[in-house]
Amino acid sequence: MASILRFRKLCYVEPAVKCSSLSIKSFDHTPKNTKKDESFVPPPPPPPVAVTPLEVLSDKKKRRRKEPKEWRCLDWCCWMIGYLCTTWWLLLVVFNSLPGFQVPESPGTKLKREGLTALHPVVLVPGIVTGGLELWEGRPCAEGLFRKRLWGGSFTEIFKRPLCWLEHMSLDNETGLDPPGIRVRAVPGLVAADYFAPGYFVWAVLIENLARIGYEGKNLHMTAYDWRLSFQNTEVRDQALSRLKSKIELMFVSNGYKKVVVVPHSMGVLYFLHFLKWVEAPAPMGGGAGPGWCAKHIKAIMNIGPAFLGVPKTVSSLFSAEAKDIAFARAMAPGVLDSEILGLQTLEHIMRVTRTWDSIMSLIPKGGETIWGNTDWSPEEGYDCDPTKKKYLQASSTDRSQSTNETDGKLGFRVEDPVRYGRIISFGKETSQVPSSELPAFDSKEFSRGRTQQKSNSSCGDVWTEYDEMSRESIRAIAENKAYTARTLTDLLHFVAPKMMRRTEAHFSHGIADNLDDPKYSHYKYWSNPLETKLPDAPDMEIYCLYGVGIPTERSYVYRLSPSDRCKSIPFRIDSSADGSDGGCLRSGVYFVDGDETVPVLSAGFMCAKGWRGKNRFNPSGSPTYIREYKHKAPALLEGRGLESGAHVDIMGNVALIEDVMRVAAGATGTEVGGDRIYSDILRMSERINLRL
Amino acid sequence: MPLLRRRKGSSEPEKNSTQQIHKEIDNRDDEDEKEKESKKKKLVERKKWSCVDSCCWFIGLICSIWWFLLFLYNAMPASFPQYVTEAITGPLPDPPGVKLQKEGLMAKHPVVFVPGIVTGGLELWEGHSCADGLFRKRLWGGTFGEVYKRPLCWVEHMSLDNETGLDPSGIRVRPVTGLVAADYFAPGYFVWAVLIANLARIGYEEKTMYMAAYDWRISFQNTEVRDQTLSRIKSNIELMVTSNGGKKVVVIPHSMGVLYFLHFMKWVEAPAPMGGGGGSDWCAKHIKAVMNIGGPFLGVPKAVSGLFSAEAKDVAVARAIAPGVLDKDLFRLQTLQHVMRMTRTWDSTMSMIPKGGDTIWGGLDWSPEEGYECNLKKQKSNSSQIADHNGTVDVEYKTKNAHYGRIISFGKDVADAHSSEIERTDFRGAFKGNNLGNATCDDVWTEYHDMGIAGIKAVADYKVYTAGSLSDLLHFVAPKMMKRGDAHFSHGIAENLDDPEYNHYKYWSNPLETKLPNAPDMEIFSMYGVGIPTERAYVYKLTPTAECHIPFQIDTHAESGNEGSCLKGGVYTVDGDETVPVLSAGFMCAKGWRGKTRFNPSGIQTYIREYDHAPPSNLLEGRGTQSGAHVDIMGNFALIEDIIRVAAGATGEELGGDQVHSGIFEWSEKIKLRL
C-alpha cells in the first residue's frame, strides 16, 4: 500500500506542482497545496474563516473536473519527447532541403579543370589506430560478431561487452601474435580507413578528390595491415608485405608501367620504410625482389605527418596509459578513462591491452640524446610557446625569410631559462627545471628489480599489469632518478615493462648506426628506424615530408607518484598541477613544442630537412627530399574539421595538402609543386643536431 | 483509498461548520458567473492542449516505445534467436564448418570466389550532378535506396553506352572489391556469407579467401580492357599460391561466374596482347579444382525472355525491384521499358543466351528433356524417393510431351502443334517500318521503336523459334545490342577446335568452342540444385497496344488443362534450380567433358554433384539449409560441406564421385554431339 501511495505521489502530485508553473496557470496554487496537504498529511486544523464557502465550492468542482483529465507525469514525458523528436525531424528536413552551404570548390574539381588526370597509381598506407579490424574467430562471448568490426566503425561492442572486447583486441604478451582461439584481422580495401568512425573521415576526403581526376579501384590501393603487430609480423602472419609488393607490381604493370606514388600517414610512414628495406632484402627475411625494385616501381613517397623519429606521446601512454588525446582515447571518451568509476579499472585494462601491441614500440623516440637532447640541451630550445607571438608568426608566414628574422630577434629577447625538452620524463616540476648538475647521477644498474613475490592478492581485481610485479621500493627508485632523457628512457621502459620490451627488442631498434655497412643492420629490426638504415638505391624517387605546424604538441612530461597505494593501480601519473608561467610551454604537466598535436616538428621534419638531404650515408643515392609544412588554422564553426587544419589526422582534409598530393600523383615533381615550404624552425633545429652524415 | 475517503470525510463537517446557508443562496448568481469564467479559462486551456499536444504526445509515446524495444533488442543476447528456434524445431544440426572442424579439417588450399551476374555490388566513382553525394555508395546491392529516391538518375547511371558497351561519358560505376562485394546482396539476403563463415571455421581468412569481383554488366574481355580485372585475378591467384606454400587454389564460381572463369582460364594461357600470357601450364600449376555452382554452361532460356521482352520474372533483378511494380504501367512510368533499355546495354547478359543451337536445346520436334514429368505429385514423391525416378516414367503423359525445343512460340496452339502443321513466314528479310516512336511517346528509348509494325508482325509470323533461330531473332529485334554481342560472345558449336579462328576471345566463354586447358590434375565439379520447375520455353503473344510499349509479352493465359503438364502461365518448365535447367548446368560435366574428348583433351576429371531441393520447413529457417534454388543453394549444408572438404584437400573421388538425382545422363545421351 505504501508503495502504491508513493507511486501516486510521484504521478499525481509532483507533476501537478511542477507542471503548473509551465502552463496550467488557470489553477491558483492554493487549492492544490491544500489538497496535497490534505491527502498525505493528517487533516489540517480547520482553516481560518476567511475561506468563503464559494471558494470551497468552486474548489470542489474544480477538483472533480480536473481529476480525470490531469496531465500525468508519463504524459508529460511523452509530450516532451514527442516535441523534441518532431522539432528535430523538422530541423533535419529543413537542413536537408536547404541548398548546401556555399562549399568552397574542392581541390579535385579545381585541378580537373586545370586538366590534370590520373597518371601514377596511388598507394595509401594508413597509420596506427585508423585502420579497421574485424573478427574472424573468437571466444564464445563474441558470438555473432563474425566479420564485424571490432575496431573502427561505431565501437558499439565496447559498451556492450567491454571485457570481451578487450580480450579480443589484446595480443599474446609473449609472442605478440594472436592469442589462441582468437583471430582479429585487418579490414581490406578502401573501407579499411576511409572513415575511422561514422562521420570522422581519415582518407575519405583525399580519395574523393583523387576520384575527381579519374582515380578508381584499379589505380588506388589501400594497404591494410594489422597495425597492432610489429611490422615484420604482419608478413609472418598475414603476408601483408608480400601482398603490398604484389599489388604495387600489378598496378605498375596494368597502368601502363607508371610508377606508383605512395602516401603513408603517421605510423604508416615507418611501415613503408620497413617495406622499402624488406622488398629488396634477400628472400627468407625479405621480399627478395633485389636492388632496383624501388627505383623501378616507386615515383614518390609522400609522408603525411611522419613519425620518423618517434613520438614522445608514446612514452607517456606506455608508461602510464595517459594517451590523453590520440584517437584511441578520443574514441573511448577520455572522461571515463580518467576517473575510475565503479572500480572498473579502465586505465589499467587499456594499459594491459596496449602493451601487447608491438607496433606502438615503433613510435618510441629514436636516436637518443643526439636527436632529442639530454638533460641540459635540446634542439628545440628557444621555441616560444606564447600564443600571441604565434599569431604574429602566422600573419607573416607568407614571407618566410622575414619570419625567420623575426624569430632571430626574439631569441635575443629571451630572458627565461630555456625549457629543458631533453628531459622527456621528470619527476616533479623542479626536476624539470634545475640545471643538470643538481640532478642525481643516473645509473642504470640501480634498476635491480626488487620484485616481491606475488604482491597481488586475491582481493585485487584480476587486471594484470606488469606494475604488479614491481615492489614499492623499486617504484620509488624510479622516481628518485628524477629525470629521463631519450637515452635512459629505454632503460626505464625495460624496467617497468620487461616483457613488452623483450618483444620490442626483437622487432625494433631505437639507436643511431655508427657504421651502416655493418652486416648486423641487415636484420629486420633496424628497417623501420631511419637512423639505422640506408634508403634504397633510387636516385629518382622523391621523398616528401608533409605535416602540420602551429599546434602545441606534447614533448616532455612532469610526472609524480600516484598517491594511492592500492594494488593494481598504475603508480605514476602526469602531474597535471604543474603549470608554467603564462607564456610558458608547461601546461598541466606537459611541455609543448610546435607540431601537429601528435608528432613534434623535429620528428616529422628532421630526416627530410637534414638526415636525408643531399647525398649522405643514410641516403647514398641522393633521393631528393622535400618539406611541405601546412600552417594550422582552426576551422570555422560550420566547417567541421576544417579545410586548413594542421592537426595530425585532420590534415588529411587540408586542401593545400590534397592539392600537393594530387599534383604529384598526376605527374608533377617536387620542384614543380614548389619545393620546400617551411613555417617552423625545423631547419635551425636540425642544424643544432649533431649527427654524422 | 482510505486516506482519500478520510480526507473527504474530514472536509465535509468542516464545510458545514463554516458555511452559512443563506449567504450561499445569496451568492449563487455571483458564483455561477465565476464558475462560467473559470470554465472559459479552462476551455482555452483545453484548446491549447488539444491537437498539437496530443500529436506530440503520441509521437513521444511511439518514440519511447520504439527506443525501449530497441534497447531490449540490443540488450538481448546474440544467441537468443537460435535458442528460440531450437526450442521450436529441436536442436539444429551443426553447421558444416563446425562439424568438419571437429573432424579435424584445416584450411589448406586458398579459395577464390567468382560471383555471378547481379549478385556483385557496384559503386559510383564519378557521376552526373543528379547523383551528387553518392560517391562510393553502392548503386547496386545493399538497400537499393537510390532506386526509389531517384529512379531515372539510377537507371542512367546503371546503363552502359549502347555502342561500345563501356561507360557512358562522365559516369564511372565500378565493382565493389573484397569479400563485401557479394557476401550479402541486400541486408539479410546472403549470397556468399554462409559459405565464408563456414570456411572461416576451419581457419580460412582474408589472406586465403579472395572474391574475384568484376563488373558483371560488361563483357568478359571488357572487364580486362577497362579495369584489368583478369590481370588482377591472375596476380591475386599467383600471390595466394606463393604465399600459402605453393598450394593450388580451389575456384568456386557461381552462376555467370562459371562462364567468366572459363573465359579467364583461356585468357590466362593465351599469348600477351589478347590474353594474359601466363603460359600453357598456368592452370595446371595454379588450380586444383573448379567447383562450379549452378553454372549455366550452355546458357539460360530465361536470358532470352529477359532480352526479348524484359520479363525476367524471377531473377534477382526483378526480385530486387519488386516485380509487382514492373508488370503494371503504374503512373505511366514505363518501368519495363526503362529496365529493358538498361539491361540491353549490359553485354554480359548475352553470354547466357542458349548455346549450341538445335543440337543441344532441341529442334522443332524433339528435345533432350522430352518425357520429363512436371506433375507436382510426382515431384513430391521424387524428393522422397529419388532413387527410382528414372525407372517410373508414366506412359500416359508421354503423349503430351512439351516441345521444349521451341523456345519461343507465338500462341499456345503453335507450341502444341506438330511441326508439319505450322506455317512460318521468314522474317529475316522483312521490311522494318518507319519509326514508331513519335512525340507522343515518352522519351524512353527501346530498339522496338525502330522496328515498325511490319517488323513486329514479321516476327510474330515466324511462329516458332528454336535455339538455332533465336540469335537471328535477337539480331532482328535488337541489332545494336547483337552487334556488340557478336564481338564478344559466340553461341555455336565448333567444328574444328584447332582452327585458329577459335583463338579469338569471343569464343572463350563458350564451352562448346574451346578446349579446356592442359591440366590433367585439375578437377571440375558441376554442383547444382534440382527439383524446382525451371523456365525452359515460352508462349508469347503480341501486346494489344503496340505503340510505345514493348510489343511482345509472355502469354500468361496459356495454361494446359492437364494438371500434370509443364505449361504454366505461358512458360514450359523442366527440372532445374529455378534459373538454370539441368541440361545447361550438367551436360558438360556429364558428357561434353567426361573422359578425354575434343573439348577436354587432357582428360580433366569431372564430377556432377546434384542437390535435391527441399524447401525450408518453417519460417525460422529462413532460406533453408537444403535448398536447391539458384542463389539459396549457397546456404545448402551439403554443398558447403563438399566445398570445405575439397578446400581442405579431398579429391572428387573422396567426396563420393557423382551424385545424381535428375535425368541428366539420360538426357545427355540424347544429344548427338561429336566429342
Side-chain angles (χ1 to χ4, degrees), chain A residues 189-232:
Chain A
L190 291 178
V191 285
D194 55 350
Y195 289 93
F196 175 63
Y200 189 85
F201 73 82
V202 182
W203 294 91
V205 180
L206 182 61
I207 292 171
E208 187 160 356
N209 280 297
L210 283 170
R212 288 277 156 117
I213 61 165
Y215 280 94
E216 59 193 48
K218 67 174 173 183
N219 45 20
L220 187 60
H221 174 68
M222 175 79 76
T223 313
Y225 60 96
D226 189 336
W227 47 261
R228 300 170 306 159
L229 299 184
S230 80
F231 303 155
Q232 191 68 9

Side-chain angles (χ1 to χ4, degrees), chain A residues 107-313:
Chain A
T109 333
K110 182 182 148 202
L111 295 178
K112 193 187 178 187
R113 217 167 344 94
E114 278 185 27
L116 265 66
T117 49
L119 186 71
H120 296 281
V122 172
V123 175
L124 312 174
V125 186
I128 196 167
V129 306
T130 46
L133 299 173
E134 59 188 14
L135 184 76
W136 278 85
E137 185 183 340
R139 301 263 157 79
C141 72
E143 200 183 284
L145 294 181
F146 176 68
R147 286 185 60 223
K148 297 272 185 310
R149 280 198 183 199
L150 287 188
W151 187 269
S154 53
F155 283 99
T156 43
E157 294 310 318
I158 298 184
F159 302 106
K160 273 201 215 162
R161 23 193 157 171
L163 286 179
C164 182
W165 184 83
L166 285 170
E167 184 186 352
H168 284 81
M169 286 300 294
S170 305
L171 295 169
D172 190 287
N173 201 34
E174 299 288 337
T175 61
L177 292 169
D178 291 324
I182 293 178
R183 281 186 290 151
V184 173
R185 295 289 179 267
V187 176
L190 291 178
V191 285
D194 55 350
Y195 289 93
F196 175 63
Y200 189 85
F201 73 82
V202 182
W203 294 91
V205 180
L206 182 61
I207 292 171
E208 187 160 356
N209 280 297
L210 283 170
R212 288 277 156 117
I213 61 165
Y215 280 94
E216 59 193 48
K218 67 174 173 183
N219 45 20
L220 187 60
H221 174 68
M222 175 79 76
T223 313
Y225 60 96
D226 189 336
W227 47 261
R228 300 170 306 159
L229 299 184
S230 80
F231 303 155
Q232 191 68 9
N233 272 344
T234 62
E235 169 67 13
V236 171
R237 197 192 70 180
D238 300 335
Q239 282 85 46
L241 296 172
S242 301
R243 283 155 159 263
L244 179 57
K245 173 173 171 256
S246 145
K247 263 275 138 51
I248 291 179
E249 284 168 354
L250 171 67
M251 291 210 293
F252 175 67
V253 172
S254 64
N255 286 287
Y257 299 95
K258 294 275 180 307
K259 296 184 197 174
V260 300
V261 170
V262 185
V263 189
H265 172 234
S266 184
M267 194 184 77
V269 167
L270 300 175
Y271 188 71
F272 197 73
L273 205 62
H274 186 93
F275 173 79
L276 285 181
K277 293 301 285 182
W278 173 87
V279 74
E280 298 199 341
M285 199 188 277
W293 191 92
C294 296
K296 189 179 160 200
H297 290 93
I298 300 175
K299 170 191 156 54
I301 305 173
M302 309 198 71
N303 304 298
I304 300 176
F308 280 121
L309 301 177
V311 184
K313 201 184 263 188

